[in-house]
Amino acid sequence: MSDSKKASPGRKAITGPELPIPEFAPKYFSPGILAGGWLFCSGALPTDYQNAVDEVGYTDPDALHRPDVYDNARLRQQSHAVLQRLQKVFAASGGDLSTDTIRIEQFFRSPHPTQNDFDTTRDTWAKGISISPYLETRNEYIGEARPPSVGFGVTDLPIEGVDLQVDLIGAPGIKKVRIEAPEGVASPLAGYSPAIRFGDWVSLAGEVPTDWAGDWMSEKHRGEPRGTDPRTRPNEYLWYGDEMAAQVNLTLEKQAKIAEAAGSSIDRCVNATVYIGHPADFSSMDAVWKQWFPNNPPARTVIPYSGLGGKGWRFEVTMDLLTNDSKLEPQIIHTNNAPEPFGHEPQAVKVGNLLFFSTLRSVNSNGVLTTTPPTGFARYVDQGYAQMNGILNNIEAISEAAGTNLANLCRLKVFMDEWSVMSSGAQAIADRFPVDPPAISMHRVNGSPMISRGCHFVGDAISYIP
């Protein structure tokens, strides 16, 4: 095995003077990492890390600093800044943002859902915003076939006043084919590809339990109006039915049909990211997941407290699959040096040169936090640093079982329940990666706790295997 402190030559950090990082903070991320033919970009914000929001080149810079309410002009300006930064990351890697994108994830600042929305009504709707200015701007920078997409509302982002962060994965030089939604599956409204096929892979967009109409303009009375497909709704006037389970099942049915249209199948899924409204929804989701993936389930990361784009939605899932004719075969990775997953998922799945991890938290196999000091000694432990370090320890143990090392970590998305843990979490990453840290994105979700009591972080990670 290679030196555990050094990344392999096949993993290259994308840096440079055109890609600034904050000089006032620990160096905990690289703007991009190129490995295994994939380009992993850090979460892009509309900043040059000198001015909170970059004003350069805009006709209406005042739009960037209007009062703290939703503003179409401000979102449009910030969208330009974010996409221009990503353009530079792709160019520095030898790629092209317009043609080489394979997955895009957008996070929009929204005051809803609140903790009360989640806890009392299970309302996950990130209402009060319109993402149309962003979509129009995105289309100026990214051509067809546009990458599969997911979008979420979050309470706020790492920089105060910023409305948008974009996480993006590319494959420089790869030929990709857009796959349309098959008959019987409604096409998404935002102009992205329901799926793309490239090389051995099929990437599916975030799919949700909707027919893209819901109760809009309907005269039928189905209880509380929603943007969900009517087939997911139990009769609200009777005791029977599990709406979360129905949403999960319908969504996976849709993904299975899109996968088939792309020349794959849902049982060829090797990696999934699942967004649920509330930790209480986990058990229903997991039960349906077991029915769809009874044996050898894919790597899966589950993010709670997700602000979703439609009224009544409580589930969204993105997937990476192998084509039916690919000669690559997934391998389940397991080690006794890391905790057993909490739910129906493996610790990780290895496919070719890539290693996909399941939900990463600093908990034991029972889902209990491992960084809790004895009663009365809470002030002695910095939970941000300790919990992030615990996540990195688990990544390291699983990586070694897969034949790689921690230094080959390419991408780590971090979801947290409060900003107070961000800086020390970032310091923990910087301490473990003195050279060429991975691509990192930081997001604050709209509720707490992160499935386990006292847990502040959930991580979603991909590594390179030489």
Side-chain angles (χ1 to χ4, degrees), residues 307-395:
L308 301 180
K311 184 175 177 59
W313 300 356
R314 289 162 60 183
F315 177 78
E316 183 162 354
V317 60
T318 69
M319 291 183 169
D320 299 303
L321 310 96
L322 291 171
T323 61
N324 286 334
D325 57 6
S326 172
K327 291 182 171 56
L328 294 176
E329 288 296 333
Q331 177 185 348
I332 300 295
I333 301 299
H334 179 268
T335 176
N336 291 330
N337 295 322
E340 295 291 334
F342 183 74
H344 189 60
E345 58 197 36
Q347 290 173 332
V349 174
K350 174 182 178 178
V351 182
N353 292 115
L354 296 173
L355 179 64
F356 300 93
F357 294 82
S358 289
T359 312
L360 292 161
R361 296 175 296 150
S362 190
V363 298
N364 64 21
S365 296
N366 295 318
V368 177
L369 196 67
T370 58
T371 59
T372 303
T375 301
F377 294 93
R379 295 173 183 170
Y380 286 78
V381 177
D382 184 324
Q383 286 295 327
Y385 192 97
Q387 291 188 29
M388 183 58 70
N389 201 49
I391 286 173
L392 295 173
N393 287 341
N394 291 337
I395 292 174

Coordinates of all heavy atoms in Angstrom, one line a residue, residues 307-395:
G307 N -34.6 21.0 2.9 CA -35.6 21.9 2.4 C -35.9 21.6 0.9 O -35.0 21.9 0.1
L308 N -37.0 21.0 0.6 CA -37.3 20.6 -0.8 C -38.1 21.6 -1.6 O -38.7 22.5 -1.0 CB -37.9 19.2 -0.7 CG -37.1 18.1 0.0 CD1 -37.8 16.8 0.0 CD2 -35.7 18.0 -0.6
G309 N -38.1 21.4 -2.9 CA -38.7 22.4 -3.8 C -40.2 22.3 -4.0 O -40.7 23.1 -4.8
G310 N -40.9 21.4 -3.4 CA -42.3 21.3 -3.7 C -43.1 21.1 -2.4 O -42.6 20.4 -1.5
K311 N -44.3 21.6 -2.3 CA -45.1 21.5 -1.1 C -45.5 20.0 -0.9 O -46.0 19.4 -1.8 CB -46.3 22.4 -1.2 CG -47.2 22.4 0.1 CD -48.3 23.3 -0.1 CE -49.3 23.3 1.1 NZ -48.6 23.6 2.4
G312 N -45.2 19.5 0.3 CA -45.5 18.1 0.6 C -44.5 17.1 0.3 O -44.6 16.0 0.7
W313 N -43.4 17.5 -0.5 CA -42.3 16.5 -0.7 C -41.6 16.2 0.5 O -41.2 17.1 1.3 CB -41.3 17.0 -1.7 CG -41.9 17.4 -3.1 CD1 -43.2 17.2 -3.5 CD2 -41.2 18.0 -4.2 NE1 -43.3 17.7 -4.8 CE2 -42.1 18.2 -5.2 CE3 -39.9 18.5 -4.3 CZ2 -41.7 18.8 -6.4 CZ3 -39.5 19.0 -5.5 CH2 -40.4 19.2 -6.6
R314 N -41.3 14.9 0.8 CA -40.5 14.5 2.0 C -39.3 13.6 1.6 O -38.6 13.1 2.5 CB -41.4 13.8 3.0 CG -42.4 14.8 3.6 CD -43.5 14.1 4.3 NE -43.2 13.2 5.3 CZ -44.1 12.4 6.0 NH1 -45.3 12.5 5.7 NH2 -43.6 11.6 6.9
F315 N -39.0 13.4 0.3 CA -38.0 12.5 -0.1 C -37.5 12.9 -1.5 O -38.2 13.3 -2.3 CB -38.6 11.1 -0.2 CG -37.6 10.0 -0.7 CD1 -36.7 9.5 0.1 CD2 -37.7 9.6 -2.0 CE1 -35.8 8.5 -0.3 CE2 -36.8 8.6 -2.5 CZ -35.9 8.1 -1.7
E316 N -36.1 12.9 -1.6 CA -35.5 13.1 -2.9 C -34.2 12.2 -2.9 O -33.6 12.0 -1.9 CB -35.1 14.5 -3.1 CG -34.5 14.8 -4.5 CD -34.5 16.2 -5.0 OE1 -35.1 17.1 -4.3 OE2 -34.0 16.5 -6.0
V317 N -33.9 11.6 -4.1 CA -32.8 10.7 -4.2 C -32.1 11.0 -5.5 O -32.7 11.1 -6.6 CB -33.2 9.2 -4.1 CG1 -34.2 8.8 -5.1 CG2 -32.0 8.3 -4.1
T318 N -30.7 11.0 -5.5 CA -29.9 11.0 -6.7 C -29.1 9.7 -6.7 O -28.9 9.1 -5.6 CB -28.9 12.1 -6.7 OG1 -27.9 11.9 -5.7 CG2 -29.5 13.5 -6.4
M319 N -28.8 9.2 -7.9 CA -28.1 7.9 -8.0 C -27.0 7.9 -9.1 O -27.1 8.6 -10.1 CB -29.1 6.8 -8.4 CG -30.1 6.5 -7.3 SD -31.2 5.1 -7.8 CE -32.0 4.8 -6.3
D320 N -26.0 7.1 -8.8 CA -24.9 6.8 -9.8 C -25.0 5.3 -10.1 O -24.9 4.5 -9.1 CB -23.6 7.2 -9.3 CG -23.4 8.7 -9.0 OD1 -23.7 9.5 -9.9 OD2 -23.1 9.1 -7.9
L321 N -25.2 4.9 -11.3 CA -25.3 3.5 -11.7 C -24.3 3.1 -12.8 O -23.8 4.0 -13.5 CB -26.7 3.3 -12.3 CG -27.9 3.8 -11.5 CD1 -28.4 5.1 -12.0 CD2 -29.1 2.8 -11.6
L322 N -24.0 1.9 -12.9 CA -23.2 1.3 -14.0 C -24.2 0.9 -15.1 O -25.3 0.5 -14.9 CB -22.5 0.1 -13.5 CG -21.3 0.3 -12.5 CD1 -20.8 -1.0 -12.0 CD2 -20.2 1.2 -13.1
T323 N -23.7 1.1 -16.3 CA -24.5 0.6 -17.5 C -24.6 -0.9 -17.4 O -23.7 -1.6 -16.9 CB -23.9 1.1 -18.8 OG1 -22.6 0.6 -18.9 CG2 -23.8 2.6 -18.8
N324 N -25.6 -1.4 -18.1 CA -25.7 -2.9 -18.2 C -24.6 -3.6 -18.9 O -24.3 -4.7 -18.6 CB -27.1 -3.2 -18.9 CG -28.3 -3.0 -18.0 OD1 -28.2 -3.0 -16.7 ND2 -29.4 -2.7 -18.6
D325 N -24.0 -2.9 -19.8 CA -22.9 -3.5 -20.6 C -21.5 -3.1 -20.0 O -20.5 -3.5 -20.6 CB -22.9 -3.1 -22.1 CG -22.9 -1.6 -22.3 OD1 -22.7 -0.8 -21.3 OD2 -23.1 -1.1 -23.4
S326 N -21.4 -2.5 -18.9 CA -20.1 -2.2 -18.3 C -19.5 -3.4 -17.7 O -20.2 -4.3 -17.1 CB -20.3 -1.1 -17.1 OG -19.1 -1.0 -16.4
K327 N -18.2 -3.5 -17.9 CA -17.4 -4.7 -17.3 C -17.0 -4.4 -15.9 O -16.5 -5.3 -15.2 CB -16.2 -5.0 -18.2 CG -16.6 -5.6 -19.5 CD -15.4 -5.9 -20.3 CE -15.7 -6.7 -21.6 NZ -16.7 -6.0 -22.5
L328 N -17.2 -3.2 -15.4 CA -16.9 -2.9 -14.0 C -17.9 -3.6 -13.1 O -19.1 -3.7 -13.4 CB -17.0 -1.4 -13.7 CG -16.0 -0.5 -14.4 CD1 -16.2 0.9 -14.1 CD2 -14.5 -0.9 -14.0
E329 N -17.4 -4.1 -12.0 CA -18.3 -4.7 -11.0 C -18.1 -4.1 -9.6 O -16.9 -3.9 -9.2 CB -18.0 -6.2 -10.9 CG -18.5 -7.0 -12.1 CD -20.0 -7.0 -12.3 OE1 -20.7 -6.8 -11.3 OE2 -20.5 -7.1 -13.4
P330 N -19.2 -3.7 -8.9 CA -19.0 -3.1 -7.6 C -18.6 -4.1 -6.6 O -18.9 -5.3 -6.6 CB -20.4 -2.6 -7.3 CG -21.3 -3.4 -8.2 CD -20.6 -3.8 -9.4
Q331 N -17.8 -3.7 -5.6 CA -17.3 -4.5 -4.5 C -17.7 -3.8 -3.2 O -17.3 -2.7 -2.9 CB -15.8 -4.7 -4.6 CG -15.2 -5.5 -3.5 CD -13.7 -5.6 -3.5 OE1 -13.1 -5.2 -4.5 NE2 -13.1 -6.0 -2.4
I332 N -18.4 -4.6 -2.3 CA -18.8 -4.0 -1.0 C -17.5 -4.0 -0.1 O -16.8 -5.0 -0.1 CB -19.9 -4.9 -0.4 CG1 -21.1 -4.9 -1.2 CG2 -20.2 -4.4 1.1 CD1 -21.8 -3.6 -1.4
I333 N -17.3 -2.9 0.6 CA -16.1 -2.8 1.4 C -16.6 -2.8 2.9 O -17.6 -2.1 3.2 CB -15.4 -1.5 1.2 CG1 -14.9 -1.4 -0.3 CG2 -14.2 -1.3 2.1 CD1 -14.0 -2.6 -0.7
H334 N -15.9 -3.6 3.7 CA -16.3 -3.7 5.1 C -15.0 -3.8 5.9 O -14.0 -4.5 5.5 CB -17.2 -4.9 5.4 CG -17.5 -5.0 6.9 ND1 -16.8 -5.8 7.8 CD2 -18.5 -4.4 7.6 CE1 -17.3 -5.6 9.0 NE2 -18.3 -4.8 8.9
T335 N -15.0 -3.1 7.1 CA -13.9 -3.3 8.0 C -14.4 -3.2 9.5 O -15.4 -2.5 9.7 CB -12.8 -2.2 7.9 OG1 -11.8 -2.3 8.9 CG2 -13.4 -0.8 7.9
N336 N -13.8 -4.0 10.4 CA -14.2 -3.9 11.8 C -13.7 -2.7 12.5 O -14.0 -2.4 13.6 CB -13.7 -5.2 12.5 CG -14.4 -6.4 12.0 OD1 -15.6 -6.4 11.7 ND2 -13.7 -7.6 12.1
N337 N -12.8 -1.9 11.8 CA -12.2 -0.7 12.3 C -13.1 0.5 12.2 O -12.6 1.6 12.5 CB -10.8 -0.5 11.7 CG -9.9 -1.6 12.1 OD1 -9.9 -2.1 13.2 ND2 -9.0 -2.0 11.2
A338 N -14.2 0.4 11.6 CA -15.2 1.5 11.5 C -16.6 0.9 11.9 O -16.8 -0.3 11.8 CB -15.2 2.0 10.0
P339 N -17.5 1.8 12.3 CA -18.8 1.4 12.8 C -19.6 0.8 11.7 O -19.5 1.1 10.5 CB -19.4 2.6 13.4 CG -18.7 3.8 12.7 CD -17.3 3.3 12.5
E340 N -20.5 -0.1 12.1 CA -21.5 -0.6 11.1 C -22.5 0.5 10.8 O -22.8 1.3 11.6 CB -22.3 -1.8 11.7 CG -21.5 -3.0 12.0 CD -21.0 -3.7 10.8 OE1 -21.7 -3.6 9.7 OE2 -20.0 -4.4 10.8
P341 N -23.0 0.6 9.6 CA -23.9 1.6 9.2 C -25.2 1.6 9.9 O -25.6 0.5 10.4 CB -24.1 1.4 7.7 CG -22.9 0.6 7.2 CD -22.6 -0.3 8.4
F342 N -25.8 2.7 10.1 CA -27.1 2.9 10.8 C -28.1 2.8 9.7 O -28.5 3.8 9.1 CB -27.1 4.2 11.5 CG -28.4 4.4 12.3 CD1 -28.6 3.7 13.5 CD2 -29.3 5.3 11.9 CE1 -29.8 3.9 14.2 CE2 -30.5 5.5 12.6 CZ -30.7 4.8 13.8
G343 N -28.6 1.6 9.3 CA -29.6 1.5 8.3 C -29.1 0.5 7.2 O -28.0 -0.1 7.3
H344 N -29.9 0.3 6.2 CA -29.6 -0.7 5.1 C -28.6 -0.1 4.1 O -29.0 0.2 3.0 CB -30.9 -1.1 4.5 CG -30.8 -2.3 3.6 ND1 -30.3 -3.6 4.0 CD2 -31.0 -2.5 2.3 CE1 -30.3 -4.4 3.0 NE2 -30.7 -3.8 2.0
E345 N -27.3 -0.1 4.5 CA -26.3 0.4 3.6 C -25.0 -0.2 4.0 O -24.8 -0.5 5.2 CB -26.2 2.0 3.6 CG -26.0 2.5 5.0 CD -26.3 4.0 5.2 OE1 -27.3 4.4 4.6 OE2 -25.6 4.7 5.9
P346 N -24.0 -0.4 3.0 CA -22.7 -0.9 3.4 C -21.8 0.3 3.9 O -22.2 1.5 3.8 CB -22.2 -1.4 2.0 CG -22.8 -0.5 1.0 CD -24.2 -0.2 1.6
Q347 N -20.7 0.0 4.4 CA -19.8 1.1 4.7 C -19.3 1.9 3.5 O -19.2 3.1 3.5 CB -18.5 0.5 5.5 CG -18.9 0.0 6.9 CD -17.7 -0.7 7.5 OE1 -16.8 -1.2 6.9 NE2 -17.7 -0.7 8.8
A348 N -19.1 1.1 2.4 CA -18.6 1.8 1.2 C -18.7 0.8 0.0 O -18.9 -0.5 0.3 CB -17.2 2.2 1.3
V349 N -18.7 1.3 -1.2 CA -18.7 0.5 -2.4 C -17.5 0.9 -3.3 O -17.4 2.1 -3.6 CB -20.0 0.6 -3.2 CG1 -19.9 -0.2 -4.5 CG2 -21.2 0.0 -2.3
K350 N -16.8 0.0 -3.7 CA -15.6 0.2 -4.6 C -16.0 -0.1 -6.0 O -16.5 -1.2 -6.3 CB -14.4 -0.6 -4.2 CG -13.2 -0.6 -5.1 CD -12.1 -1.5 -4.5 CE -10.9 -1.5 -5.4 NZ -9.8 -2.4 -4.8
V351 N -15.8 0.8 -7.0 CA -16.0 0.6 -8.4 C -14.9 1.1 -9.2 O -14.7 2.4 -9.2 CB -17.3 1.2 -8.9 CG1 -17.6 0.9 -10.3 CG2 -18.5 0.8 -8.0
G352 N -14.1 0.3 -9.8 CA -12.9 0.8 -10.6 C -12.0 1.6 -9.7 O -11.5 1.0 -8.6
N353 N -11.7 2.8 -10.1 CA -10.8 3.7 -9.3 C -11.5 4.6 -8.3 O -10.9 5.5 -7.7 CB -10.0 4.6 -10.2 CG -9.0 3.8 -11.1 OD1 -9.2 3.7 -12.3 ND2 -8.0 3.2 -10.5
L354 N -12.8 4.3 -8.1 CA -13.6 5.2 -7.2 C -14.1 4.4 -6.0 O -14.5 3.3 -6.1 CB -14.7 5.9 -7.9 CG -14.3 6.9 -9.0 CD1 -15.5 7.4 -9.8 CD2 -13.5 8.0 -8.5
L355 N -14.2 5.1 -4.9 CA -14.7 4.5 -3.6 C -15.8 5.4 -3.1 O -15.5 6.6 -2.8 CB -13.6 4.3 -2.6 CG -14.0 3.8 -1.2 CD1 -14.5 2.3 -1.4 CD2 -12.8 3.8 -0.3
F356 N -17.0 4.9 -3.0 CA -18.2 5.7 -2.6 C -18.5 5.3 -1.1 O -18.7 4.1 -0.9 CB -19.4 5.4 -3.5 CG -19.2 5.8 -4.9 CD1 -18.7 4.9 -5.8 CD2 -19.4 7.1 -5.4 CE1 -18.5 5.2 -7.2 CE2 -19.2 7.4 -6.7 CZ -18.7 6.5 -7.6
F357 N -18.6 6.2 -0.2 CA -18.8 6.0 1.2 C -20.3 6.1 1.5 O -21.0 7.0 0.9 CB -18.1 6.9 2.1 CG -16.6 6.7 2.0 CD1 -15.8 7.3 1.0 CD2 -15.9 6.0 3.0 CE1 -14.4 7.1 0.9 CE2 -14.5 5.8 2.9 CZ -13.8 6.4 1.9
S358 N -20.8 5.4 2.4 CA -22.2 5.6 3.0 C -22.1 6.7 4.1 O -21.0 7.2 4.4 CB -22.8 4.3 3.5 OG -23.1 3.4 2.5
T359 N -23.3 7.0 4.6 CA -23.4 8.1 5.6 C -22.3 8.1 6.6 O -22.0 7.1 7.3 CB -24.7 7.9 6.4 OG1 -25.8 7.7 5.4 CG2 -25.0 9.2 7.2
L360 N -21.6 9.2 6.8 CA -20.5 9.4 7.7 C -20.9 10.3 8.8 O -21.2 11.4 8.6 CB -19.3 10.0 6.9 CG -18.7 9.1 5.8 CD1 -17.8 9.9 4.8 CD2 -17.8 8.0 6.5
R361 N -20.8 9.7 10.0 CA -21.0 10.5 11.3 C -20.1 9.9 12.3 O -19.6 8.8 12.2 CB -22.5 10.3 11.7 CG -23.5 10.9 10.8 CD -24.9 10.6 11.3 NE -25.2 9.2 11.3 CZ -26.0 8.6 12.1 NH1 -26.7 9.3 13.0 NH2 -26.3 7.3 12.1
S362 N -19.8 10.7 13.3 CA -19.0 10.3 14.4 C -19.8 9.6 15.5 O -20.0 10.1 16.6 CB -18.2 11.5 15.0 OG -17.2 11.1 15.9
V363 N -20.3 8.4 15.1 CA -21.2 7.6 16.0 C -20.7 6.1 16.0 O -19.9 5.7 15.1 CB -22.6 7.7 15.6 CG1 -23.2 9.1 15.6 CG2 -22.8 7.1 14.2
N364 N -21.1 5.4 16.9 CA -20.8 3.9 16.9 C -21.8 3.2 16.1 O -22.7 3.8 15.5 CB -20.7 3.4 18.4 CG -22.0 3.5 19.2 OD1 -23.1 3.5 18.6 ND2 -21.8 3.4 20.5
S365 N -21.8 1.8 16.1 CA -22.7 1.0 15.3 C -24.1 1.1 15.8 O -25.0 0.7 15.0 CB -22.2 -0.4 15.3 OG -20.9 -0.6 14.8
N366 N -24.4 1.6 17.0 CA -25.7 1.8 17.4 C -26.2 3.2 17.2 O -27.3 3.6 17.6 CB -25.8 1.5 18.9 CG -25.5 0.1 19.2 OD1 -26.0 -0.8 18.5 ND2 -24.8 -0.2 20.3
G367 N -25.4 4.0 16.5 CA -25.8 5.4 16.2 C -25.6 6.3 17.4 O -26.2 7.5 17.4
V368 N -24.8 5.9 18.4 CA -24.6 6.8 19.6 C -23.3 7.6 19.4 O -22.3 7.0 19.0 CB -24.5 5.9 20.8 CG1 -24.2 6.8 22.1 CG2 -25.8 5.2 21.0
L369 N -23.4 8.8 19.7 CA -22.2 9.7 19.5 C -21.0 9.2 20.3 O -21.1 8.8 21.4 CB -22.6 11.1 20.0 CG -21.7 12.3 19.6 CD1 -21.8 12.5 18.1 CD2 -22.1 13.5 20.3
T370 N -19.8 9.2 19.6 CA -18.6 8.7 20.3 C -17.7 9.7 20.9 O -16.7 9.4 21.5 CB -17.8 7.9 19.2 OG1 -17.4 8.8 18.1 CG2 -18.5 6.7 18.7
T371 N -18.1 11.0 20.8 CA -17.3 12.1 21.3 C -17.9 12.7 22.6 O -17.4 13.8 23.0 CB -17.1 13.2 20.2 OG1 -18.4 13.7 19.8 CG2 -16.4 12.6 19.0
T372 N -18.8 12.1 23.2 CA -19.5 12.7 24.4 C -18.6 12.4 25.6 O -18.3 11.3 26.0 CB -20.8 12.0 24.6 OG1 -21.7 12.2 23.5 CG2 -21.5 12.7 25.8
P373 N -18.2 13.5 26.3 CA -17.4 13.4 27.5 C -18.2 13.0 28.7 O -19.5 13.0 28.6 CB -16.8 14.7 27.7 CG -17.8 15.7 27.2 CD -18.4 14.9 26.0
P374 N -17.7 12.6 29.8 CA -18.5 12.3 31.0 C -19.3 13.5 31.4 O -19.0 14.7 31.1 CB -17.4 12.1 32.1 CG -16.2 11.6 31.4 CD -16.2 12.4 30.1
T375 N -20.5 13.3 32.1 CA -21.4 14.3 32.5 C -20.7 15.4 33.2 O -19.9 15.1 34.2 CB -22.5 13.7 33.3 OG1 -23.2 12.7 32.6 CG2 -23.5 14.8 33.7
G376 N -20.9 16.6 32.8 CA -20.3 17.8 33.5 C -19.0 18.3 32.8 O -18.5 19.4 33.2
F377 N -18.5 17.5 31.8 CA -17.2 17.9 31.2 C -17.4 18.3 29.7 O -16.4 18.3 29.0 CB -16.2 16.7 31.3 CG -15.8 16.4 32.7 CD1 -16.5 15.5 33.4 CD2 -14.8 17.1 33.3 CE1 -16.2 15.2 34.7 CE2 -14.4 16.8 34.6 CZ -15.1 15.9 35.3
A378 N -18.5 18.8 29.3 CA -18.8 19.2 27.9 C -17.9 20.2 27.5 O -17.5 20.3 26.3 CB -20.3 19.6 27.8
R379 N -17.5 21.2 28.3 CA -16.6 22.3 27.9 C -15.2 21.9 27.6 O -14.4 22.6 27.0 CB -16.6 23.4 29.0 CG -18.0 24.0 29.2 CD -18.0 24.9 30.4 NE -19.3 25.5 30.6 CZ -19.6 26.2 31.7 NH1 -18.7 26.4 32.7 NH2 -20.8 26.7 31.9
Y380 N -14.8 20.7 27.9 CA -13.5 20.2 27.6 C -13.3 19.6 26.2 O -12.2 19.4 25.8 CB -13.1 19.1 28.7 CG -12.8 19.6 30.0 CD1 -13.8 20.0 30.9 CD2 -11.5 19.8 30.5 CE1 -13.6 20.5 32.2 CE2 -11.2 20.3 31.7 CZ -12.3 20.6 32.6 OH -12.0 21.1 33.8
V381 N -14.4 19.4 25.5 CA -14.3 18.8 24.2 C -14.9 19.8 23.2 O -16.1 20.2 23.3 CB -15.1 17.5 24.2 CG1 -15.1 16.9 22.8 CG2 -14.5 16.5 25.2
D382 N -14.2 20.1 22.1 CA -14.6 20.9 21.0 C -15.3 19.9 20.1 O -14.7 19.1 19.3 CB -13.5 21.6 20.3 CG -13.9 22.5 19.2 OD1 -14.9 22.1 18.5 OD2 -13.3 23.5 18.9
Q383 N -16.7 19.9 20.1 CA -17.4 18.9 19.3 C -17.2 19.0 17.8 O -17.2 18.0 17.1 CB -18.9 18.9 19.7 CG -19.2 18.4 21.1 CD -18.9 16.9 21.1 OE1 -19.1 16.1 20.2 NE2 -18.5 16.4 22.3
G384 N -17.0 20.2 17.3 CA -16.8 20.4 15.9 C -15.5 19.7 15.5 O -15.5 18.9 14.5
Y385 N -14.4 19.9 16.2 CA -13.2 19.3 15.9 C -13.2 17.8 16.1 O -12.8 17.0 15.3 CB -12.0 19.9 16.7 CG -10.7 19.5 16.2 CD1 -9.9 20.4 15.4 CD2 -10.1 18.3 16.6 CE1 -8.7 20.0 15.0 CE2 -8.8 18.0 16.2 CZ -8.1 18.8 15.4 OH -6.9 18.5 14.9
A386 N -13.8 17.4 17.3 CA -13.8 16.0 17.6 C -14.7 15.1 16.6 O -14.3 14.1 16.2 CB -14.3 15.8 19.0
Q387 N -15.9 15.7 16.3 CA -16.7 14.9 15.4 C -16.2 14.8 14.0 O -16.3 13.8 13.3 CB -18.1 15.5 15.4 CG -18.8 15.3 16.8 CD -20.3 15.7 16.7 OE1 -21.0 15.6 15.7 NE2 -20.8 16.1 17.9
M388 N -15.6 15.9 13.5 CA -15.0 15.8 12.2 C -13.8 14.9 12.1 O -13.6 14.1 11.2 CB -14.6 17.2 11.7 CG -14.1 17.3 10.3 SD -15.2 16.7 9.0 CE -16.4 18.0 9.1
N389 N -13.0 14.9 13.2 CA -11.9 14.0 13.3 C -12.4 12.6 13.3 O -11.8 11.7 12.7 CB -11.1 14.3 14.5 CG -9.6 13.8 14.4 OD1 -9.0 14.0 13.4 ND2 -9.2 13.1 15.4
G390 N -13.5 12.3 14.0 CA -14.1 11.0 14.0 C -14.5 10.5 12.6 O -14.3 9.4 12.3
I391 N -15.1 11.4 11.9 CA -15.5 11.1 10.5 C -14.3 10.8 9.7 O -14.3 9.8 8.9 CB -16.3 12.3 9.9 CG1 -17.7 12.3 10.5 CG2 -16.4 12.1 8.4 CD1 -18.5 13.6 10.1
L392 N -13.2 11.5 9.8 CA -12.0 11.3 9.0 C -11.4 10.0 9.4 O -10.8 9.3 8.6 CB -11.0 12.5 9.2 CG -11.5 13.8 8.6 CD1 -10.6 14.9 8.9 CD2 -11.7 13.7 7.1
N393 N -11.4 9.6 10.7 CA -10.9 8.3 11.2 C -11.7 7.2 10.5 O -11.1 6.2 10.1 CB -11.0 8.2 12.7 CG -10.0 9.1 13.4 OD1 -9.0 9.5 12.9 ND2 -10.3 9.3 14.7
N394 N -13.0 7.3 10.4 CA -13.8 6.3 9.7 C -13.4 6.2 8.2 O -13.3 5.1 7.7 CB -15.3 6.5 9.9 CG -15.7 6.3 11.3 OD1 -15.1 5.6 12.1 ND2 -16.8 7.0 11.7
I395 N -13.3 7.4 7.6 CA -12.9 7.4 6.2 C -11.5 6.7 6.0 O -11.3 5.9 5.1 CB -12.8 8.8 5.6 CG1 -14.2 9.4 5.5 CG2 -12.1 8.8 4.3 CD1 -14.2 10.9 5.2

